[in-house]
Amino acid sequence: MFRPKLPAMPQPTGTATPPAVVVEPTTITPGTPASPPAPVPSRPTVQLTPGTVLALVGGGTAVVLVVGAVLVSMLLAVAVTATSVAVCAVVLRSLLTSQHRR
C-alpha cells in the first residue's frame, strides 16, 4: 500500500535522428534605407488639480501622524518597561542587602 508504483517505461524501438535544419541565404541589397523607427506614443500627462493636491497633502499628513504615533507609543513602551525593570532591580537589591544584615 505504501510502496511507490513506478511507471513502466517502454523500451525504444529504433534510433532517433534529429530533424534536419535547412538554412536559406538572404540577399542584402545595398543602398536601401531602413524604415524609421515607429514613434513612441506619448504618455498622458498627470494634471494636479487643487482637489488632488489637497488630497495628497491630507493623505501624507495622515500617514506621518499615524507613523509618528506608532513610534512614540513604542518608545513609551520601552521606557515604561525599562523603568519597571529598574524598580524591580532596586527592590531586589534592597531585599538581598537587608537579608545579609540580619
PDB file of all heavy atoms in Angstrom, residues 46-87:
ATOM      1  N   VAL A  46       0.098  63.941 -16.146  1.00  0.00           N
ATOM      2  CA  VAL A  46      -0.687  63.964 -14.914  1.00  0.00           C
ATOM      3  C   VAL A  46      -0.943  65.413 -14.568  1.00  0.00           C
ATOM      4  O   VAL A  46      -0.015  66.207 -14.419  1.00  0.00           O
ATOM      5  CB  VAL A  46       0.073  63.265 -13.769  1.00  0.00           C
ATOM      6  CG1 VAL A  46      -0.702  63.363 -12.477  1.00  0.00           C
ATOM      7  CG2 VAL A  46       0.354  61.828 -14.129  1.00  0.00           C
ATOM      8  N   GLN A  47      -2.204  65.767 -14.454  1.00  0.00           N
ATOM      9  CA  GLN A  47      -2.551  67.141 -14.119  1.00  0.00           C
ATOM     10  C   GLN A  47      -3.057  67.177 -12.690  1.00  0.00           C
ATOM     11  O   GLN A  47      -3.984  66.470 -12.334  1.00  0.00           O
ATOM     12  CB  GLN A  47      -3.615  67.666 -15.077  1.00  0.00           C
ATOM     13  CG  GLN A  47      -3.095  67.749 -16.495  1.00  0.00           C
ATOM     14  CD  GLN A  47      -4.087  68.426 -17.416  1.00  0.00           C
ATOM     15  OE1 GLN A  47      -5.115  68.885 -16.977  1.00  0.00           O
ATOM     16  NE2 GLN A  47      -3.737  68.482 -18.683  1.00  0.00           N
ATOM     17  N   LEU A  48      -2.405  68.017 -11.883  1.00  0.00           N
ATOM     18  CA  LEU A  48      -2.780  68.130 -10.489  1.00  0.00           C
ATOM     19  C   LEU A  48      -3.759  69.287 -10.333  1.00  0.00           C
ATOM     20  O   LEU A  48      -3.416  70.433 -10.591  1.00  0.00           O
ATOM     21  CB  LEU A  48      -1.544  68.358  -9.613  1.00  0.00           C
ATOM     22  CG  LEU A  48      -0.529  67.222  -9.583  1.00  0.00           C
ATOM     23  CD1 LEU A  48       0.677  67.613  -8.754  1.00  0.00           C
ATOM     24  CD2 LEU A  48      -1.166  65.975  -9.020  1.00  0.00           C
ATOM     25  N   THR A  49      -4.924  68.952  -9.916  1.00  0.00           N
ATOM     26  CA  THR A  49      -5.921  69.974  -9.620  1.00  0.00           C
ATOM     27  C   THR A  49      -5.812  70.326  -8.146  1.00  0.00           C
ATOM     28  O   THR A  49      -5.200  69.585  -7.370  1.00  0.00           O
ATOM     29  CB  THR A  49      -7.333  69.455  -9.944  1.00  0.00           C
ATOM     30  OG1 THR A  49      -7.598  68.323  -9.112  1.00  0.00           O
ATOM     31  CG2 THR A  49      -7.449  69.035 -11.404  1.00  0.00           C
ATOM     32  N   PRO A  50      -6.374  71.438  -7.728  1.00  0.00           N
ATOM     33  CA  PRO A  50      -6.308  71.779  -6.301  1.00  0.00           C
ATOM     34  C   PRO A  50      -6.908  70.704  -5.403  1.00  0.00           C
ATOM     35  O   PRO A  50      -6.445  70.480  -4.293  1.00  0.00           O
ATOM     36  CB  PRO A  50      -7.095  73.085  -6.217  1.00  0.00           C
ATOM     37  CG  PRO A  50      -6.981  73.682  -7.573  1.00  0.00           C
ATOM     38  CD  PRO A  50      -6.936  72.526  -8.524  1.00  0.00           C
ATOM     39  N   GLY A  51      -7.910  70.015  -5.876  1.00  0.00           N
ATOM     40  CA  GLY A  51      -8.506  68.942  -5.077  1.00  0.00           C
ATOM     41  C   GLY A  51      -7.561  67.774  -4.870  1.00  0.00           C
ATOM     42  O   GLY A  51      -7.456  67.228  -3.768  1.00  0.00           O
ATOM     43  N   THR A  52      -6.853  67.380  -5.933  1.00  0.00           N
ATOM     44  CA  THR A  52      -5.931  66.255  -5.792  1.00  0.00           C
ATOM     45  C   THR A  52      -4.726  66.644  -4.945  1.00  0.00           C
ATOM     46  O   THR A  52      -4.210  65.830  -4.188  1.00  0.00           O
ATOM     47  CB  THR A  52      -5.458  65.756  -7.167  1.00  0.00           C
ATOM     48  OG1 THR A  52      -4.866  66.840  -7.878  1.00  0.00           O
ATOM     49  CG2 THR A  52      -6.601  65.178  -7.969  1.00  0.00           C
ATOM     50  N   VAL A  53      -4.266  67.905  -5.072  1.00  0.00           N
ATOM     51  CA  VAL A  53      -3.155  68.360  -4.238  1.00  0.00           C
ATOM     52  C   VAL A  53      -3.564  68.336  -2.778  1.00  0.00           C
ATOM     53  O   VAL A  53      -2.810  67.882  -1.902  1.00  0.00           O
ATOM     54  CB  VAL A  53      -2.693  69.770  -4.665  1.00  0.00           C
ATOM     55  CG1 VAL A  53      -1.710  70.344  -3.655  1.00  0.00           C
ATOM     56  CG2 VAL A  53      -2.058  69.718  -6.041  1.00  0.00           C
ATOM     57  N   LEU A  54      -4.778  68.793  -2.495  1.00  0.00           N
ATOM     58  CA  LEU A  54      -5.269  68.792  -1.122  1.00  0.00           C
ATOM     59  C   LEU A  54      -5.405  67.368  -0.586  1.00  0.00           C
ATOM     60  O   LEU A  54      -5.054  67.088   0.561  1.00  0.00           O
ATOM     61  CB  LEU A  54      -6.620  69.516  -1.060  1.00  0.00           C
ATOM     62  CG  LEU A  54      -7.186  69.794   0.324  1.00  0.00           C
ATOM     63  CD1 LEU A  54      -6.244  70.711   1.078  1.00  0.00           C
ATOM     64  CD2 LEU A  54      -8.557  70.419   0.205  1.00  0.00           C
ATOM     65  N   ALA A  55      -5.868  66.458  -1.440  1.00  0.00           N
ATOM     66  CA  ALA A  55      -5.990  65.060  -1.016  1.00  0.00           C
ATOM     67  C   ALA A  55      -4.623  64.442  -0.749  1.00  0.00           C
ATOM     68  O   ALA A  55      -4.447  63.689   0.220  1.00  0.00           O
ATOM     69  CB  ALA A  55      -6.731  64.261  -2.081  1.00  0.00           C
ATOM     70  N   LEU A  56      -3.631  64.745  -1.609  1.00  0.00           N
ATOM     71  CA  LEU A  56      -2.284  64.212  -1.394  1.00  0.00           C
ATOM     72  C   LEU A  56      -1.666  64.757  -0.116  1.00  0.00           C
ATOM     73  O   LEU A  56      -1.035  64.019   0.655  1.00  0.00           O
ATOM     74  CB  LEU A  56      -1.396  64.546  -2.591  1.00  0.00           C
ATOM     75  CG  LEU A  56      -1.650  63.754  -3.864  1.00  0.00           C
ATOM     76  CD1 LEU A  56      -0.790  64.286  -4.997  1.00  0.00           C
ATOM     77  CD2 LEU A  56      -1.377  62.288  -3.640  1.00  0.00           C
ATOM     78  N   VAL A  57      -1.850  66.049   0.131  1.00  0.00           N
ATOM     79  CA  VAL A  57      -1.296  66.640   1.351  1.00  0.00           C
ATOM     80  C   VAL A  57      -1.984  66.055   2.580  1.00  0.00           C
ATOM     81  O   VAL A  57      -1.338  65.718   3.577  1.00  0.00           O
ATOM     82  CB  VAL A  57      -1.439  68.180   1.308  1.00  0.00           C
ATOM     83  CG1 VAL A  57      -1.144  68.802   2.652  1.00  0.00           C
ATOM     84  CG2 VAL A  57      -0.519  68.756   0.247  1.00  0.00           C
ATOM     85  N   GLY A  58      -3.308  65.913   2.518  1.00  0.00           N
ATOM     86  CA  GLY A  58      -4.040  65.324   3.646  1.00  0.00           C
ATOM     87  C   GLY A  58      -3.634  63.884   3.892  1.00  0.00           C
ATOM     88  O   GLY A  58      -3.450  63.463   5.039  1.00  0.00           O
ATOM     89  N   GLY A  59      -3.465  63.093   2.821  1.00  0.00           N
ATOM     90  CA  GLY A  59      -3.038  61.701   2.972  1.00  0.00           C
ATOM     91  C   GLY A  59      -1.639  61.597   3.537  1.00  0.00           C
ATOM     92  O   GLY A  59      -1.355  60.761   4.399  1.00  0.00           O
ATOM     93  N   GLY A  60      -0.732  62.457   3.056  1.00  0.00           N
ATOM     94  CA  GLY A  60       0.634  62.446   3.580  1.00  0.00           C
ATOM     95  C   GLY A  60       0.685  62.838   5.045  1.00  0.00           C
ATOM     96  O   GLY A  60       1.419  62.243   5.830  1.00  0.00           O
ATOM     97  N   THR A  61      -0.122  63.829   5.409  1.00  0.00           N
ATOM     98  CA  THR A  61      -0.175  64.239   6.813  1.00  0.00           C
ATOM     99  C   THR A  61      -0.707  63.117   7.695  1.00  0.00           C
ATOM    100  O   THR A  61      -0.186  62.869   8.783  1.00  0.00           O
ATOM    101  CB  THR A  61      -1.059  65.493   6.953  1.00  0.00           C
ATOM    102  OG1 THR A  61      -0.555  66.510   6.089  1.00  0.00           O
ATOM    103  CG2 THR A  61      -1.083  66.006   8.373  1.00  0.00           C
ATOM    104  N   ALA A  62      -1.736  62.436   7.216  1.00  0.00           N
ATOM    105  CA  ALA A  62      -2.309  61.333   7.995  1.00  0.00           C
ATOM    106  C   ALA A  62      -1.285  60.216   8.184  1.00  0.00           C
ATOM    107  O   ALA A  62      -1.151  59.654   9.276  1.00  0.00           O
ATOM    108  CB  ALA A  62      -3.558  60.804   7.305  1.00  0.00           C
ATOM    109  N   VAL A  63      -0.537  59.910   7.133  1.00  0.00           N
ATOM    110  CA  VAL A  63       0.477  58.853   7.230  1.00  0.00           C
ATOM    111  C   VAL A  63       1.560  59.247   8.228  1.00  0.00           C
ATOM    112  O   VAL A  63       1.983  58.440   9.075  1.00  0.00           O
ATOM    113  CB  VAL A  63       1.086  58.554   5.839  1.00  0.00           C
ATOM    114  CG1 VAL A  63       2.336  57.714   5.953  1.00  0.00           C
ATOM    115  CG2 VAL A  63       0.067  57.858   4.958  1.00  0.00           C
ATOM    116  N   VAL A  64       2.004  60.498   8.167  1.00  0.00           N
ATOM    117  CA  VAL A  64       3.045  60.958   9.089  1.00  0.00           C
ATOM    118  C   VAL A  64       2.542  60.912  10.526  1.00  0.00           C
ATOM    119  O   VAL A  64       3.262  60.489  11.445  1.00  0.00           O
ATOM    120  CB  VAL A  64       3.507  62.376   8.697  1.00  0.00           C
ATOM    121  CG1 VAL A  64       4.335  63.012   9.800  1.00  0.00           C
ATOM    122  CG2 VAL A  64       4.308  62.324   7.411  1.00  0.00           C
ATOM    123  N   LEU A  65       1.300  61.325  10.748  1.00  0.00           N
ATOM    124  CA  LEU A  65       0.750  61.302  12.105  1.00  0.00           C
ATOM    125  C   LEU A  65       0.611  59.882  12.641  1.00  0.00           C
ATOM    126  O   LEU A  65       0.922  59.614  13.805  1.00  0.00           O
ATOM    127  CB  LEU A  65      -0.596  62.017  12.142  1.00  0.00           C
ATOM    128  CG  LEU A  65      -0.534  63.546  12.000  1.00  0.00           C
ATOM    129  CD1 LEU A  65      -1.942  64.130  11.960  1.00  0.00           C
ATOM    130  CD2 LEU A  65       0.265  64.154  13.121  1.00  0.00           C
ATOM    131  N   VAL A  66       0.159  58.970  11.811  1.00  0.00           N
ATOM    132  CA  VAL A  66      -0.020  57.579  12.258  1.00  0.00           C
ATOM    133  C   VAL A  66       1.331  56.944  12.558  1.00  0.00           C
ATOM    134  O   VAL A  66       1.516  56.303  13.601  1.00  0.00           O
ATOM    135  CB  VAL A  66      -0.798  56.770  11.193  1.00  0.00           C
ATOM    136  CG1 VAL A  66      -0.727  55.278  11.479  1.00  0.00           C
ATOM    137  CG2 VAL A  66      -2.240  57.229  11.135  1.00  0.00           C
ATOM    138  N   VAL A  67       2.301  57.126  11.668  1.00  0.00           N
ATOM    139  CA  VAL A  67       3.633  56.548  11.895  1.00  0.00           C
ATOM    140  C   VAL A  67       4.271  57.171  13.134  1.00  0.00           C
ATOM    141  O   VAL A  67       4.891  56.475  13.955  1.00  0.00           O
ATOM    142  CB  VAL A  67       4.520  56.728  10.641  1.00  0.00           C
ATOM    143  CG1 VAL A  67       5.969  56.378  10.932  1.00  0.00           C
ATOM    144  CG2 VAL A  67       3.996  55.878   9.502  1.00  0.00           C
ATOM    145  N   GLY A  68       4.101  58.475  13.312  1.00  0.00           N
ATOM    146  CA  GLY A  68       4.636  59.129  14.496  1.00  0.00           C
ATOM    147  C   GLY A  68       4.013  58.605  15.770  1.00  0.00           C
ATOM    148  O   GLY A  68       4.700  58.380  16.768  1.00  0.00           O
ATOM    149  N   ALA A  69       2.690  58.411  15.756  1.00  0.00           N
ATOM    150  CA  ALA A  69       2.020  57.896  16.947  1.00  0.00           C
ATOM    151  C   ALA A  69       2.490  56.486  17.280  1.00  0.00           C
ATOM    152  O   ALA A  69       2.710  56.147  18.450  1.00  0.00           O
ATOM    153  CB  ALA A  69       0.507  57.909  16.735  1.00  0.00           C
ATOM    154  N   VAL A  70       2.688  55.670  16.269  1.00  0.00           N
ATOM    155  CA  VAL A  70       3.160  54.302  16.500  1.00  0.00           C
ATOM    156  C   VAL A  70       4.572  54.318  17.076  1.00  0.00           C
ATOM    157  O   VAL A  70       4.880  53.602  18.043  1.00  0.00           O
ATOM    158  CB  VAL A  70       3.100  53.487  15.190  1.00  0.00           C
ATOM    159  CG1 VAL A  70       3.856  52.173  15.323  1.00  0.00           C
ATOM    160  CG2 VAL A  70       1.668  53.226  14.792  1.00  0.00           C
ATOM    161  N   LEU A  71       5.438  55.162  16.523  1.00  0.00           N
ATOM    162  CA  LEU A  71       6.811  55.204  17.027  1.00  0.00           C
ATOM    163  C   LEU A  71       6.880  55.753  18.450  1.00  0.00           C
ATOM    164  O   LEU A  71       7.638  55.243  19.287  1.00  0.00           O
ATOM    165  CB  LEU A  71       7.676  56.050  16.083  1.00  0.00           C
ATOM    166  CG  LEU A  71       7.958  55.434  14.708  1.00  0.00           C
ATOM    167  CD1 LEU A  71       8.766  56.404  13.863  1.00  0.00           C
ATOM    168  CD2 LEU A  71       8.665  54.109  14.836  1.00  0.00           C
ATOM    169  N   VAL A  72       6.081  56.778  18.737  1.00  0.00           N
ATOM    170  CA  VAL A  72       6.078  57.334  20.096  1.00  0.00           C
ATOM    171  C   VAL A  72       5.538  56.316  21.087  1.00  0.00           C
ATOM    172  O   VAL A  72       6.063  56.176  22.198  1.00  0.00           O
ATOM    173  CB  VAL A  72       5.270  58.648  20.127  1.00  0.00           C
ATOM    174  CG1 VAL A  72       4.975  59.092  21.539  1.00  0.00           C
ATOM    175  CG2 VAL A  72       6.031  59.732  19.389  1.00  0.00           C
ATOM    176  N   SER A  73       4.504  55.582  20.704  1.00  0.00           N
ATOM    177  CA  SER A  73       3.956  54.578  21.624  1.00  0.00           C
ATOM    178  C   SER A  73       4.960  53.455  21.870  1.00  0.00           C
ATOM    179  O   SER A  73       5.071  52.945  22.990  1.00  0.00           O
ATOM    180  CB  SER A  73       2.644  54.023  21.084  1.00  0.00           C
ATOM    181  OG  SER A  73       2.861  53.334  19.874  1.00  0.00           O
ATOM    182  N   MET A  74       5.718  53.074  20.832  1.00  0.00           N
ATOM    183  CA  MET A  74       6.747  52.046  21.031  1.00  0.00           C
ATOM    184  C   MET A  74       7.854  52.560  21.951  1.00  0.00           C
ATOM    185  O   MET A  74       8.340  51.830  22.830  1.00  0.00           O
ATOM    186  CB  MET A  74       7.322  51.609  19.683  1.00  0.00           C
ATOM    187  CG  MET A  74       6.369  50.779  18.857  1.00  0.00           C
ATOM    188  SD  MET A  74       6.965  50.417  17.201  1.00  0.00           S
ATOM    189  CE  MET A  74       8.404  49.459  17.570  1.00  0.00           C
ATOM    190  N   LEU A  75       8.249  53.818  21.767  1.00  0.00           N
ATOM    191  CA  LEU A  75       9.259  54.394  22.643  1.00  0.00           C
ATOM    192  C   LEU A  75       8.760  54.480  24.080  1.00  0.00           C
ATOM    193  O   LEU A  75       9.501  54.192  25.022  1.00  0.00           O
ATOM    194  CB  LEU A  75       9.635  55.791  22.138  1.00  0.00           C
ATOM    195  CG  LEU A  75      10.699  56.547  22.926  1.00  0.00           C
ATOM    196  CD1 LEU A  75      12.026  55.790  22.874  1.00  0.00           C
ATOM    197  CD2 LEU A  75      10.856  57.945  22.390  1.00  0.00           C
ATOM    198  N   LEU A  76       7.497  54.835  24.257  1.00  0.00           N
ATOM    199  CA  LEU A  76       6.914  54.906  25.598  1.00  0.00           C
ATOM    200  C   LEU A  76       6.860  53.517  26.239  1.00  0.00           C
ATOM    201  O   LEU A  76       7.133  53.366  27.433  1.00  0.00           O
ATOM    202  CB  LEU A  76       5.511  55.517  25.521  1.00  0.00           C
ATOM    203  CG  LEU A  76       4.801  55.762  26.840  1.00  0.00           C
ATOM    204  CD1 LEU A  76       5.589  56.767  27.668  1.00  0.00           C
ATOM    205  CD2 LEU A  76       3.393  56.259  26.593  1.00  0.00           C
ATOM    206  N   ALA A  77       6.536  52.500  25.446  1.00  0.00           N
ATOM    207  CA  ALA A  77       6.502  51.143  25.982  1.00  0.00           C
ATOM    208  C   ALA A  77       7.888  50.698  26.438  1.00  0.00           C
ATOM    209  O   ALA A  77       8.038  50.067  27.494  1.00  0.00           O
ATOM    210  CB  ALA A  77       5.957  50.185  24.926  1.00  0.00           C
ATOM    211  N   VAL A  78       8.898  51.041  25.668  1.00  0.00           N
ATOM    212  CA  VAL A  78      10.265  50.680  26.051  1.00  0.00           C
ATOM    213  C   VAL A  78      10.666  51.420  27.325  1.00  0.00           C
ATOM    214  O   VAL A  78      11.287  50.843  28.234  1.00  0.00           O
ATOM    215  CB  VAL A  78      11.246  50.979  24.892  1.00  0.00           C
ATOM    216  CG1 VAL A  78      12.692  50.882  25.345  1.00  0.00           C
ATOM    217  CG2 VAL A  78      10.997  50.025  23.745  1.00  0.00           C
ATOM    218  N   ALA A  79      10.292  52.695  27.422  1.00  0.00           N
ATOM    219  CA  ALA A  79      10.650  53.476  28.610  1.00  0.00           C
ATOM    220  C   ALA A  79       9.953  52.939  29.858  1.00  0.00           C
ATOM    221  O   ALA A  79      10.571  52.825  30.925  1.00  0.00           O
ATOM    222  CB  ALA A  79      10.280  54.938  28.390  1.00  0.00           C
ATOM    223  N   VAL A  80       8.679  52.580  29.747  1.00  0.00           N
ATOM    224  CA  VAL A  80       7.952  52.034  30.897  1.00  0.00           C
ATOM    225  C   VAL A  80       8.539  50.691  31.310  1.00  0.00           C
ATOM    226  O   VAL A  80       8.710  50.411  32.502  1.00  0.00           O
ATOM    227  CB  VAL A  80       6.447  51.917  30.561  1.00  0.00           C
ATOM    228  CG1 VAL A  80       5.715  51.088  31.588  1.00  0.00           C
ATOM    229  CG2 VAL A  80       5.831  53.297  30.445  1.00  0.00           C
ATOM    230  N   THR A  81       8.888  49.865  30.340  1.00  0.00           N
ATOM    231  CA  THR A  81       9.486  48.566  30.650  1.00  0.00           C
ATOM    232  C   THR A  81      10.834  48.744  31.343  1.00  0.00           C
ATOM    233  O   THR A  81      11.135  48.055  32.332  1.00  0.00           O
ATOM    234  CB  THR A  81       9.654  47.746  29.363  1.00  0.00           C
ATOM    235  OG1 THR A  81       8.391  47.629  28.719  1.00  0.00           O
ATOM    236  CG2 THR A  81      10.198  46.367  29.651  1.00  0.00           C
ATOM    237  N   ALA A  82      11.653  49.657  30.845  1.00  0.00           N
ATOM    238  CA  ALA A  82      12.959  49.886  31.454  1.00  0.00           C
ATOM    239  C   ALA A  82      12.810  50.419  32.870  1.00  0.00           C
ATOM    240  O   ALA A  82      13.549  50.011  33.784  1.00  0.00           O
ATOM    241  CB  ALA A  82      13.762  50.864  30.601  1.00  0.00           C
ATOM    242  N   THR A  83      11.844  51.295  33.095  1.00  0.00           N
ATOM    243  CA  THR A  83      11.622  51.827  34.437  1.00  0.00           C
ATOM    244  C   THR A  83      11.177  50.741  35.390  1.00  0.00           C
ATOM    245  O   THR A  83      11.660  50.654  36.532  1.00  0.00           O
ATOM    246  CB  THR A  83      10.571  52.955  34.380  1.00  0.00           C
ATOM    247  OG1 THR A  83      11.002  53.933  33.441  1.00  0.00           O
ATOM    248  CG2 THR A  83      10.361  53.596  35.728  1.00  0.00           C
ATOM    249  N   SER A  84      10.275  49.885  34.942  1.00  0.00           N
ATOM    250  CA  SER A  84       9.802  48.815  35.829  1.00  0.00           C
ATOM    251  C   SER A  84      10.914  47.813  36.138  1.00  0.00           C
ATOM    252  O   SER A  84      11.023  47.326  37.263  1.00  0.00           O
ATOM    253  CB  SER A  84       8.596  48.109  35.209  1.00  0.00           C
ATOM    254  OG  SER A  84       8.969  47.451  34.018  1.00  0.00           O
ATOM    255  N   VAL A  85      11.761  47.537  35.167  1.00  0.00           N
ATOM    256  CA  VAL A  85      12.886  46.634  35.417  1.00  0.00           C
ATOM    257  C   VAL A  85      13.857  47.276  36.410  1.00  0.00           C
ATOM    258  O   VAL A  85      14.384  46.605  37.313  1.00  0.00           O
ATOM    259  CB  VAL A  85      13.588  46.259  34.095  1.00  0.00           C
ATOM    260  CG1 VAL A  85      14.928  45.580  34.338  1.00  0.00           C
ATOM    261  CG2 VAL A  85      12.691  45.356  33.269  1.00  0.00           C
ATOM    262  N   ALA A  86      14.070  48.573  36.276  1.00  0.00           N
ATOM    263  CA  ALA A  86      14.974  49.255  37.206  1.00  0.00           C
ATOM    264  C   ALA A  86      14.406  49.254  38.624  1.00  0.00           C
ATOM    265  O   ALA A  86      15.141  49.030  39.594  1.00  0.00           O
ATOM    266  CB  ALA A  86      15.213  50.683  36.727  1.00  0.00           C
ATOM    267  N   VAL A  87      13.108  49.479  38.767  1.00  0.00           N
ATOM    268  CA  VAL A  87      12.486  49.453  40.097  1.00  0.00           C
ATOM    269  C   VAL A  87      12.584  48.058  40.697  1.00  0.00           C
ATOM    270  O   VAL A  87      12.889  47.901  41.890  1.00  0.00           O
ATOM    271  CB  VAL A  87      11.030  49.945  40.014  1.00  0.00           C
ATOM    272  CG1 VAL A  87      10.274  49.658  41.301  1.00  0.00           C
ATOM    273  CG2 VAL A  87      10.989  51.423  39.682  1.00  0.00           C
TER     274      VAL A  87
END
